[in-house]
Amino acid sequence: MERLLAQLCGTDEARPLPLWEGDTTGHCFTQLVLSVIPHALLAVLSACYLGTPRTSNYILPFNPGWRLRLAASFLLSIFPLLDLLPVALPPGSRPGPIGLEVLTGCVTAVAWFTHSLALWALFHSPHGRSRGPLAFALAAFLPAPALVLTLLWHCQRGTFLPPLLPGPLGRVCLLILQLTAVLAYGLGWAAPGGPREPWIQERFLSSESQEREVAEDGESWLSRFSYAWLAPLLARGVRGELQQPQDICRLPRRLHPAYLARAFQAHWKEGAQLWRALYGAFGCCYLALGLLKLVGTMLSFSGPLLLSLLVGFLEEGQEPLSHGVLYVLGLASGAVLSAVLQNQYGYEIRKVMLQARVAVLSVLYRKALQLGPNRPPTGEALNLLGTDSERLLNFAGSFHEAWGLPLQLAITLYLLYQQVGMAFVAGLVLALLLVPVNKVIATRIMASNQEMLQHKDARVKLMTELLSGIRVIKFFGWEQALGDRVKSYRSQELGRLRVIKYLDAACVYLWAALPVVICIIIFITYVLMGHQLTATKVFTALALVRLLILPLNNFPWVINGLLESKVSLDRIQRFLDLPNYNPEEYYSPDPPSEPSTVLELHEALFSWDPIGTSQKTFISHLQVKKGALVGIVGKVGCGKSSLLAAITGELHRLCGWVAVSELSRGFGLATQEPWIQCATIRDNILFGKTFDAQLYTEVLEACALNDDLSILPAGDQTEVGEKGVTLSGGQRARIALARAVYQEKTFYLLDDPLAAVDADVANHLLHRCILGVLSHTTRLLCTHRTEYLQKADVVLLMEAGHLVRTGPPSEILPLVQAGPTAWTKEEEVTDSGKSLSVQNLEKTTEGLEVEQSTSGRLVQEESKCEGAVALHVYQAYWRAMGSGLAVAILVSLLLMQATRNGADWWLSYWLSQLKTAGNSSKEGPASSSPDSTVLFSPPLLLFSSRNFYTPLLNVASNGSSDVHFYLIVYGAIAGVNSLCTLLRAVLFAAGALQAAATLHHRLLHRLLMAPVTFFDSTPSGRVLNRFSSDVACVDDSLPFLLNILLANSIGLLGLLIVLGSGLPWLLLLLPPLSFIYYRVQHRYRASFRELRRLGSLTLSPLYTHMADTLAGLPVLRAAGATYRFEEENQRLLELNQRCQFASYATMQWLDIRLQLMGAAVVSAIAIIALVQHQQGLANPGLVGLVLSYALSLTGLLSGLVSSFTQTEGMMVSVERLEEYSCGVPQEPRGQPLQEPFLFSGTVRENLDPQGLHEDGALWQALEQCHLSEVIVTVGGLDGELGEKGRNLSLGQRQLLCLARALLTDAKILCIDEATASVDQKTDQLLQQTICKRFANKTVLTIAHRLNTILNSDRVLVLQAGRVVELDTPSVLRSQPQSLFQQLLQSSQQGAYPRPAGC
């Protein structure tokens, strides 16, 4: 290399690259180092921006700054080529070595030409609105010093002195033109730009209709490696324009959910193992990344090796210069290559995780759509969607580490063997002995983790039900009782989490203390083997054992991550293995026996569970003709709804067969409990079908919805709350009926749609809808209001799950009617269809409970904080942890770092004492042991972050007693350090647990005290997201990252103290380094925290959509809407995937820059050391120390920025919890409300959640509500009711809720349609019970069966939300014009016998 440099520069081989020539730098040094290298960097950086996407439909403003930069850059690419023309001149007037000038000129021309193209690309991109990237502009000024020094070199050579030669003079002129062009470039960059309209353009850029750039696809490899394609996204983050998911760049093709779903489905079949399908879809790509991991692992050892060789070169001074240059180049290129490879490995691993995530979430949702009657609770399904899927995907990061860490361990052990021979086996045996201990700890952690997830499932499930039944809880004042149940589950969950955290602390302590113990064991073994223990051996062994910390400390975490992945995989697999809804097997492949028959059941036995332990439904034979109206009647719980569920395939068919004609067309289904989506009324009715104005108008008229819509603030564009909570029961029932009618099916299953409406509305629905619009269809109508079945073609009588009678209404209805027949003639319905009750008496006021804007929007977009996480969020976490505990954690951290630095100080003191002793017996690196080699000599070990002993190349040995003394003191200090480490781990675990418990408690308490209106306008998915994902983050992810942040911060503090006391001049590098780090992290944090917030915002709709789907599954299948709902899930998943991918990409953007900065710092110090060596100024020991600490400093700074940013992202979860804990309004408790809502649990827990009553009182209440026999069949008071009481029919649930109301001692009782789904005989008996039990209490009753309220003291009649009548029933009935009297006449309910004794 010396010969090559000498030929290129025209110098002597002894000094091929002179730094100084006279009073200025050497010309060759200036051209090669200060010109070629900066121009090469400029070319590489410019190439990264060549693929910048252009902005479509973008009008270029007249910007003189950009145009001046373009012109200057283009001229700077021409001038170097013109500078080569003097080469053709006679030899006496040539400028210098031809090869050097050609190389410099060509590199310069290529660099500026590339820069010109990049400027053009940026000018036509969104960057054209600003000055463009700062780093891009600054790179253009890097070659400027070379131009100035070249001009000085010409002045020194006397170019301007006579005789003036044309060649050198022409070169000087071109040089001045180049400097002028660079100055013009700087002026262009500083120019403010031409006229523009920033606000209009910013709105254009953030418009929803404007498609964002596609991430990564079509980018150059340089852009991919540097993540230059993220520049527009990061710029929007800095400007504060990341407000919604649409502001984020679109996903690359290979990460789009639609593409990934197809790729995964190619390997997935029902009943397959999930891991096999994931491996088939993504396994090859994932395993190939192991090669990147392997190369990166091997390169991680190149740094210490090359650094040791460089220090040896500087110390010996015998090797040629080319060796030193090669060491420096190897060090720089190895650091850069290692940074790029490790960064790309991390990036590609995260992409594989995102691919697998989409596949898992998609298959989970598809499975939810295919679930049979055995369905898990909603809370458990949501946990699978959130916690378990994330834990499963952690496998991607843990698997390669599981073999990578042992590989690092093996290499380090080999190096240790080179130093102490077979003595290292003693330390290895000790390490292996701890493996079984670690296995026991890992097993306990795994078992506790499984139990914790079960308690978490139970808690989230209870919260799901609690949110659904919040009205009941509020009216009964059960906030405390139900809150205690949630706290009980949370306490059990925290109990398991406490075990996990403390076991983790013990595991960390064992592995942290292991290196010191291994050292002592190795030293004792080495002495017993007859070898002389020297300081060289001590330091060498200590340094190598310290290299074991990373693999030994990380391995338990890796194993723990793999075990957690296995637990979550098993849970997800159990969900995927649940039996499917399979219409091909459920229904007979043959059509009904007669062409005129639409439905036929023969010897069919059905049950809600596959083995038939629950109540069965048996149909010996049933045929339903096309176009028939079939009524289904029977007592409460007789199996009417079960029969409809059996027809739709929602039950298990144990035997017999079911045949349905034209099954592919589906059913029109109106369930007994109306399922309403959180959307506008029109969207609920259309249900994905194309809008047909004529059909839509007919449906609204038939379902008596016109007058309701005229009252609502935005008509049919009014948004209803989740599950339609802002609508009355009648409105919900009619919207659900309208949805079924609009689907234009041929077969309709109507489960008691008339129960929640008054007589006139029921007449209207019967004549205009059931007998009108649907007259040409087949209809099965379940109802307790038998008076509306007079015109049915057939009536079915159900009893105890059996079809006992079939016949015309005249035969069947007398068996079930409680009073005289009441029938409203069809002629009584006016042509307009606007009966009095439709206009006046329907409960419209309830639909207006929540104040809405004129736009009709009820549920607003979820709020999102902006900017940095506020200080009060950190203060809230501090208070939640407890000030005393937080201070103790900080003190333990300081003690841990102080003892760590003390151990290093003691080693340096030992070294100084050995040097002072000046023992004549010295041992060189090569002769220390027969096992040692020159390659693995002590200088290898200069590069630990705590190497005060770094300059140790040749040190004096000492007596065994002295060595033992120093070892004992060192072991004592190290033991104290390990105890401080244990103390810190235990205290931090306790603090994290305390914070998790406090934050959840505050959130729960605040929500239980929130008004009902808050829950009406807040989708449950938002609340559940906080109780699931955000709480999980506070429990686990946040403490983990916060622990790393504190360790990095305190480690950096200790390192700065060491640098400041040992090498004060090195602190001069900190200000510029800190400035660069600040700019990078500022740009990163501005985007990352918003992406984190958007990620949380887009996760809530996924939860809500899953919960909505599980609740409305029968309706979805009947209407054939499962495919549309799956598409909607893909859309929501795509938005969340955008945020997740952008977050991961920005993390890697930060990582590559921090790694390259660290590599640049180390390389620069190495270059300076090489230059000093040439000048005879280098101190090898000092250079080694500076290099090792520079490497440690940059690593700590990058870790600090990364951990702080990730911690800030995790603090968003605390911010979201605090948003509800502090911002939700409060209200006092209300009065008991009778509403048919039950919780998962036993009969006892639903009747008496507070445990205030004896069993006798509970049975008496059940007896009075005619439920005692039913409760005995489900297992008595301790029998389980299932989620939301699904083991009972709706009527039985109403009766159980009424029994719950009978137990209350409240002075006011509100009964809202308590017997709407109860047969009339039972209704009469219940009215008698109510009159007797509540004779001395105030009872407010809402009912459409007017016999329920005829015995009331007063009747209040509402019209359009206003009171129009209020008097006794007798007075109102005596007034012919009374609305109440007209309603009585219309319904003809006056003939019902009244309960006696009221």
Side-chain angles (χ1 to χ4, degrees):
M1 178 175 286
E2 286 85 353
R3 185 179 300 108
L4 177 62
L5 284 175
Q7 293 176 354
L8 186 64
C9 298
T11 56
D12 185 20
E13 290 188 17
R15 293 187 66 208
L17 190 66
L19 180 60
W20 292 97
E21 292 181 359
D23 297 330
T24 185
T25 57
H27 183 62
C28 191
F29 178 83
T30 301
Q31 297 301 312
L32 285 181
V33 178
L34 301 182
S35 181
V36 171
I37 293 178
H39 277 109
L41 292 176
L42 175 64
V44 171
L45 185 62
S46 300
C48 293
Y49 290 93
L50 289 178
T52 303
R54 297 184 57 169
T55 301
S56 58
N57 302 324
Y58 186 75
I59 301 175
L60 291 176
F62 177 76
N63 193 322
W66 277 98
R67 297 179 187 276
L68 185 58
R69 289 167 67 186
L70 276 167
S73 181
F74 181 73
L75 290 175
L76 285 168
S77 67
I78 299 296
F79 289 150
L81 299 178
L82 297 176
D83 197 25
L84 297 179
L85 292 178
V87 173
L89 295 175
S93 59
R94 288 179 182 175
I98 296 177
L100 177 65
E101 302 302 333
V102 171
L103 173 65
T104 305
C106 291
V107 171
T108 304
V110 170
W112 283 109
F113 183 72
T114 307
H115 192 72
S116 300
L117 296 178
L119 277 173
W120 181 262
L122 288 172
F123 180 47
H124 289 80
S125 75
H127 287 289
R129 299 190 300 115
S130 63
R131 293 186 175 94
L134 177 61
F136 180 78
L138 292 179
F141 297 100
L142 290 178
L147 296 175
V148 176
L149 291 173
T150 304
L151 185 60
L152 292 176
W153 178 77
H154 277 286
C155 294
Q156 184 185 16
R157 290 192 60 182
T159 304
F160 297 100
L161 299 177
L164 297 177
L165 299 176
L169 190 60
R171 276 194 92 223
V172 170
C173 294
L174 287 174
L175 186 62
I176 294 173
L177 289 176
Q178 284 179 301
L179 283 170
T180 305
V182 171
L183 179 61
Y185 186 98
L187 292 175
W189 178 79
R196 55 182 178 149
E197 300 178 2
W199 295 111
I200 294 177
Q201 291 178 13
E202 285 176 13
R203 286 199 298 271
F204 171 74
L205 282 175
S206 61
S207 170
E208 291 187 10
S209 62
Q210 173 69 15
E211 285 291 346
R212 292 296 178 192
E213 66 278 355
V214 178
E216 194 179 48
D217 285 351
E219 298 290 336
S220 66
W221 63 272
L222 282 174
S223 178
R224 287 172 180 258
F225 283 167
S226 66
Y227 306 94
W229 53 268
L230 272 175
L233 174 70
L234 296 173
R236 288 196 293 272
V238 172
R239 296 195 299 266
E241 295 177 2
L242 293 179
Q243 303 296 324
Q244 53 187 351
Q246 288 77 12
D247 295 330
I248 301 172
C249 51
R250 288 179 289 161
L251 290 168
R253 174 177 173 269
R254 297 184 66 84
L255 286 180
H256 199 280
Y259 169 83
L260 293 172
R262 291 194 299 270
F264 179 75
Q265 283 302 313
H267 300 272
W268 171 258
K269 60 181 181 181
E270 200 59 43
Q273 293 293 312
L274 177 61
W275 72 268
R276 290 183 182 275
L278 289 173
Y279 174 78
F282 314 113
C284 293
C285 176
Y286 175 70
L287 291 180
L289 293 177
L291 294 176
L292 273 180
K293 174 68 177 175
L294 177 62
V295 176
T297 299
M298 302 307 295
L299 279 174
S300 65
F301 289 94
S302 68
L305 290 172
L306 289 168
L307 281 171
S308 65
L309 293 173
L310 177 60
V311 173
F313 165 81
L314 297 175
E315 183 207 4
E316 298 295 336
Q318 303 299 321
E319 297 181 65
L321 175 63
S322 58
H323 287 191
V325 173
L326 288 175
Y327 297 154
V328 172
L329 291 177
L331 181 66
S333 59
V336 171
L337 186 59
S338 176
V340 170
L341 289 181
Q342 292 187 21
N343 178 269
Q344 284 297 306
Y345 166 75
Y347 178 59
E348 294 298 329
I349 281 291
R350 292 181 184 277
K351 285 170 65 175
V352 172
M353 288 175 63
L354 286 176
Q355 290 176 326
R357 176 177 183 266
V358 170
V360 171
L361 296 187
S362 296
V363 77
L364 282 175
Y365 185 79
R366 186 175 294 111
K367 180 65 181 184
L369 289 174
Q370 298 171 349
L371 283 174
N374 286 350
R375 296 169 197 161
T378 303
E380 182 178 332
L382 294 180
N383 270 346
L384 294 176
L385 201 67
T387 306
D388 287 293
S389 62
E390 294 299 327
R391 291 192 171 196
L392 171 61
L393 298 178
N394 287 336
F395 172 87
S398 299
F399 175 74
H400 284 313
E401 293 295 332
W403 62 261
L405 292 178
L407 177 62
Q408 296 179 45
L409 183 65
I411 295 175
T412 308
L413 289 175
Y414 172 74
L415 296 177
L416 188 60
Y417 168 75
Q418 295 293 317
Q419 296 299 320
V420 296
M422 294 304 296
F424 90 97
V425 175
L428 181 62
V429 169
L430 178 63
L432 294 177
L433 287 177
L434 282 181
V435 171
V437 177
N438 187 58
K439 176 64 170 61
V440 172
I441 294 177
T443 303
R444 289 288 306 276
I445 289 176
M446 183 177 179
S448 297
N449 192 41
Q450 289 178 319
E451 295 179 27
M452 184 189 72
L453 289 176
Q454 292 174 358
H455 297 314
K456 182 182 179 68
D457 284 344
R459 176 176 60 82
V460 175
K461 174 185 173 183
L462 181 58
M463 280 304 306
T464 305
E465 297 177 349
L466 188 148
L467 294 173
S468 300
I470 193 65
R471 289 174 178 269
V472 176
I473 296 170
K474 288 289 181 183
F475 275 92
F476 270 96
W478 284 348
E479 294 94 338
Q480 182 66 38
L482 270 298
D484 288 342
R485 286 184 61 187
V486 176
K487 292 175 187 175
S488 174
Y489 286 126
R490 177 63 175 169
S491 177
Q492 297 176 57
E493 181 185 2
L494 287 175
R496 295 296 91 198
L497 183 64
R498 182 173 292 105
V499 173
I500 293 172
K501 291 298 182 185
Y502 286 140
L503 285 175
D504 282 342
C507 194
V508 168
Y509 168 70
L510 287 176
W511 291 102
L514 184 60
V516 175
V517 179
I518 287 179
C519 284
I520 296 174
I521 295 296
I522 288 176
F523 296 155
I524 294 175
T525 306
Y526 190 72
V527 171
L528 292 178
M529 290 174 65
H531 298 289
Q532 177 67 37
L533 191 62
T534 65
T536 300
K537 297 295 181 184
V538 171
F539 289 129
T540 302
L542 284 174
L544 279 176
V545 170
R546 279 178 175 174
L547 293 178
L548 299 176
I549 291 178
L550 177 64
L552 289 180
N553 280 356
N554 286 355
F555 200 68
W557 296 100
V558 169
I559 298 300
N560 190 37
L562 292 175
L563 294 176
E564 287 184 350
S565 300
K566 179 63 169 59
V567 172
S568 293
L569 175 64
D570 291 341
R571 284 164 51 86
I572 293 175
Q573 189 66 53
R574 282 196 297 270
F575 177 78
L576 296 177
D577 289 340
L578 290 174
N580 275 358
Y581 166 79
N582 192 341
E584 288 78 12
E585 294 182 1
Y586 188 88
Y587 296 100
S588 171
D590 301 322
S593 55
E594 298 180 11
S596 61
T597 302
V598 68
L599 171 68
E600 186 171 1
L601 289 84
H602 183 71
E603 297 297 328
L605 179 64
F606 307 94
S607 176
W608 288 100
D609 62 84
I611 57 176
T613 56
S614 62
Q615 179 177 331
K616 303 179 185 65
T617 300
F618 178 72
I619 308 297
S620 59
H621 188 74
L622 174 64
Q623 280 188 327
V624 177
K625 301 296 183 182
K626 290 184 178 179
L629 172 60
V630 179
I632 305 175
V633 296
K635 285 187 175 183
V636 175
C638 65
K640 301 184 294 298
S641 298
S642 296
L643 174 59
L644 297 188
I647 295 173
T648 57
E650 297 298 326
L651 266 64
H652 292 280
R653 180 177 58 80
L654 304 182
C655 63
W657 53 273
V658 182
V660 180
S661 66
E662 298 181 338
L663 180 63
S664 60
R665 298 192 61 177
F667 305 94
L669 178 63
T671 55
Q672 193 173 21
E673 294 181 271
W675 176 67
I676 304 296
Q677 288 184 278
C678 185
T680 64
I681 293 177
R682 174 180 288 193
D683 289 340
N684 269 284
I685 295 175
L686 298 183
F687 202 54
K689 192 177 178 183
T690 306
F691 178 73
D692 183 332
Q694 181 179 354
L695 175 62
Y696 185 70
T697 303
E698 291 178 2
V699 171
L700 291 182
E701 170 63 24
C703 296
L705 284 171
N706 283 322
D707 289 291
D708 296 272
L709 298 182
S710 66
I711 297 172
L712 295 175
D716 65 353
Q717 294 299 323
T718 301
E719 191 176 86
V720 300
E722 192 174 19
K723 301 178 184 176
V725 293
T726 60
L727 301 173
S728 70
Q731 288 170 335
R732 289 198 294 268
R734 284 181 286 128
I735 290 175
L737 180 62
R739 176 180 60 212
V741 174
Y742 192 84
Q743 301 306 307
E744 294 186 293
K745 304 293 183 181
T746 59
F747 192 4
Y748 280 85
L749 306 174
L750 310 176
D751 197 352
D752 217 359
L754 310 177
V757 297
D758 57 55
D760 273 351
V761 175
N763 285 331
H764 183 100
L765 294 177
L766 182 69
H767 293 295
R768 294 300 176 89
C769 182
I770 299 173
L771 297 176
V773 175
L774 300 181
S775 59
H776 63 287
T777 66
T778 306
R779 295 138 292 164
L780 267 65
L781 173 63
C782 292
T783 183
H784 289 293
R785 303 178 75 166
T786 56
E787 65 271 21
Y788 296 114
L789 293 178
Q790 293 290 344
K791 291 190 176 181
D793 298 299
V794 179
V795 176
L796 311 179
L797 177 60
M798 299 291 298
E799 184 174 330
H802 289 69
L803 176 60
V804 294
R805 293 286 295 273
T806 303
S810 58
E811 293 182 8
I812 305 300
L813 294 184
L815 302 176
V816 295
Q817 284 178 339
T821 310
W823 184 258
T824 304
K825 305 265 184 216
E826 186 174 358
E827 296 83 57
E828 292 180 15
V829 181
T830 61
D831 291 338
S832 65
K834 296 181 180 179
S835 60
L836 285 171
S837 61
V838 175
Q839 296 182 34
N840 304 327
L841 301 181
E842 185 60 34
K843 295 189 299 178
T844 57
T845 56
E846 190 175 344
L848 302 175
E849 283 179 349
V850 179
E851 184 177 352
Q852 299 185 356
S853 64
T854 55
S855 66
R857 190 172 182 85
L858 169 67
V859 179
Q860 303 299 324
E861 294 293 335
E862 188 170 1
S863 60
K864 177 179 75 70
C865 298
E866 298 177 6
V869 176
L871 178 61
H872 71 83
V873 178
Y874 295 95
Q875 292 173 340
Y877 192 76
W878 175 282
R879 290 193 300 269
M881 184 176 286
S883 298
L885 198 52
V887 170
I889 292 171
L890 294 179
V891 171
S892 66
L893 273 168
L894 291 172
L895 289 174
M896 182 189 72
Q897 188 62 39
T899 52
R900 181 175 299 170
N901 288 351
D904 291 337
W905 174 84
W906 180 254
L907 288 173
S908 65
Y909 173 75
W910 183 1
L911 176 60
S912 65
Q913 292 300 309
L914 288 174
K915 286 185 176 180
T916 303
N919 195 313
S920 59
S921 172
K922 298 199 175 185
E923 180 175 334
S927 61
S928 60
S929 163
D931 299 321
S932 62
T933 65
V934 175
L935 178 62
F936 300 114
S937 59
L940 277 177
L941 311 166
L942 300 173
F943 314 111
S944 174
S945 62
R946 301 183 294 275
N947 292 334
F948 279 81
Y949 48 87
T950 302
L952 180 64
L953 296 174
N954 290 300
V955 295
S957 63
N958 208 344
S960 297
S961 60
D962 291 338
V963 171
H964 293 164
F965 168 72
Y966 287 119
L967 280 177
I968 290 172
V969 174
Y970 176 77
I973 298 175
V976 174
N977 174 255
S978 66
L979 289 177
C980 292
T981 304
L982 175 63
L983 180 64
R984 186 206 72 167
V986 172
L987 287 176
F988 193 88
L993 289 166
Q994 180 62 38
T998 303
L999 290 173
H1000 180 273
H1001 174 76
R1002 293 180 63 235
L1003 175 67
L1004 178 64
H1005 176 75
R1006 189 79 179 194
L1007 280 175
L1008 289 177
M1009 293 296 104
V1012 174
T1013 52
F1014 168 78
F1015 298 97
D1016 291 344
S1017 59
T1018 305
S1020 62
R1022 291 183 189 174
V1023 182
L1024 290 175
N1025 192 7
R1026 284 166 169 81
F1027 276 97
S1028 180
S1029 292
D1030 290 318
V1031 167
C1033 176
V1034 170
D1035 288 350
D1036 190 25
S1037 303
L1038 175 60
F1040 178 75
L1041 289 171
L1042 184 58
N1043 201 2
I1044 295 175
L1045 173 63
L1046 292 176
N1048 282 335
S1049 302
I1050 207 71
L1052 179 62
L1053 176 62
L1055 191 59
L1056 291 177
I1057 293 174
V1058 170
L1059 286 177
S1061 60
L1063 292 172
W1065 63 267
L1066 195 59
L1067 297 178
L1068 296 177
L1069 292 177
L1070 290 182
L1073 191 63
S1074 301
F1075 174 76
I1076 296 173
Y1077 270 86
Y1078 172 77
R1079 291 299 300 267
V1080 170
Q1081 65 86 28
H1082 172 72
R1083 189 172 181 84
Y1084 166 70
R1085 286 176 54 216
S1087 299
F1088 181 78
R1089 59 175 172 251
E1090 301 306 321
L1091 292 172
R1092 169 73 180 170
R1093 286 166 175 155
L1094 287 173
S1096 295
L1097 288 179
T1098 53
L1099 195 59
S1100 296
L1102 277 172
Y1103 284 136
T1104 302
H1105 190 62
M1106 171 67 93
D1108 239 5
T1109 299
L1110 291 174
L1113 206 47
V1115 176
L1116 295 181
R1117 290 172 179 164
T1122 54
Y1123 180 74
R1124 179 173 63 85
F1125 266 63
E1126 189 170 356
E1127 283 188 330
E1128 174 66 11
N1129 185 70
Q1130 293 287 338
R1131 186 188 69 82
L1132 296 174
L1133 187 55
E1134 192 267 340
L1135 291 178
N1136 183 254
Q1137 185 85 334
R1138 276 193 187 190
C1139 302
Q1140 298 287 345
F1141 172 67
S1143 298
Y1144 289 153
T1146 50
M1147 289 173 62
Q1148 298 306 115
W1149 178 92
L1150 173 71
D1151 177 73
I1152 189 63
R1153 279 153 180 77
L1154 295 180
Q1155 292 291 340
L1156 290 178
M1157 286 178 193
V1161 170
V1162 174
S1163 302
I1165 295 177
I1167 292 172
I1168 293 172
L1170 189 63
V1171 172
Q1172 287 184 341
H1173 173 71
Q1174 287 298 99
Q1175 304 298 320
L1177 303 175
N1179 182 334
L1182 188 59
V1183 169
L1185 182 65
V1186 170
L1187 283 170
S1188 63
Y1189 271 92
L1191 185 62
S1192 301
L1193 179 62
T1194 52
L1196 270 177
L1197 282 175
S1198 68
L1200 182 64
V1201 173
S1202 179
S1203 59
F1204 176 73
T1205 307
Q1206 292 185 55
T1207 302
E1208 186 180 41
M1210 293 301 169
M1211 287 300 293
V1212 171
S1213 292
V1214 180
E1215 179 183 70
R1216 286 163 55 81
L1217 296 182
E1218 282 296 295
E1219 177 190 357
Y1220 275 16
S1221 298
C1222 301
V1224 174
Q1226 304 289 276
E1227 72 168 6
R1229 296 180 181 178
Q1231 299 294 335
L1233 168 72
Q1234 196 288 314
E1235 192 175 86
F1237 183 84
L1238 300 176
F1239 300 95
S1240 296
T1242 64
V1243 176
R1244 185 193 310 277
E1245 290 171 340
N1246 274 278
L1247 277 178
D1248 186 22
Q1250 297 172 300
L1252 302 178
H1253 302 278
E1254 300 291 338
D1255 286 5
L1258 301 182
W1259 281 112
Q1260 183 182 4
L1262 292 172
E1263 185 68 33
Q1264 290 173 339
C1265 293
H1266 308 278
L1267 267 181
S1268 56
E1269 295 182 3
V1270 175
I1271 297 305
V1272 170
T1273 61
V1274 299
L1277 294 176
D1278 295 318
E1280 291 288 336
L1281 295 179
E1283 187 176 16
K1284 299 180 182 179
R1286 64 182 179 186
N1287 292 344
L1288 301 178
S1289 70
L1290 180 59
Q1292 290 169 338
R1293 276 178 259 166
Q1294 287 184 332
L1295 295 179
L1296 187 61
C1297 291
L1298 185 59
R1300 182 167 62 194
L1302 294 178
L1303 292 169
T1304 182
D1305 292 328
K1307 299 299 182 183
I1308 301 176
L1309 178 70
C1310 301
I1311 301 179
D1312 188 357
E1313 295 289 354
T1315 57
S1317 299
V1318 176
D1319 62 272
Q1320 295 173 359
K1321 289 182 179 180
T1322 306
D1323 189 13
Q1324 292 180 28
L1325 297 173
L1326 290 175
Q1327 296 307 318
Q1328 294 177 3
T1329 301
I1330 292 173
C1331 289
K1332 291 177 181 178
R1333 289 293 302 270
F1334 298 103
N1336 60 342
K1337 301 181 186 296
T1338 301
V1339 181
L1340 302 178
T1341 304
I1342 301 174
H1344 288 130
R1345 288 183 179 176
L1346 296 187
N1347 68 305
T1348 304
I1349 61 172
L1350 285 179
N1351 305 286
S1352 301
D1353 296 311
R1354 306 182 80 186
V1355 174
L1356 183 146
V1357 182
L1358 292 172
Q1359 177 182 4
R1362 298 179 180 274
V1363 176
V1364 294
E1365 292 179 355
L1366 177 61
D1367 214 323
T1368 63
S1370 58
V1371 171
L1372 293 178
R1373 294 179 66 182
S1374 65
Q1375 300 173 1
Q1377 300 303 318
S1378 166
L1379 292 177
F1380 182 68
Q1381 174 61 14
Q1382 294 177 31
L1383 183 61
L1384 279 174
Q1385 292 175 351
S1386 175
S1387 61
Q1388 297 186 8
Q1389 292 295 308
Y1392 271 72
R1394 302 181 188 178
C1398 289

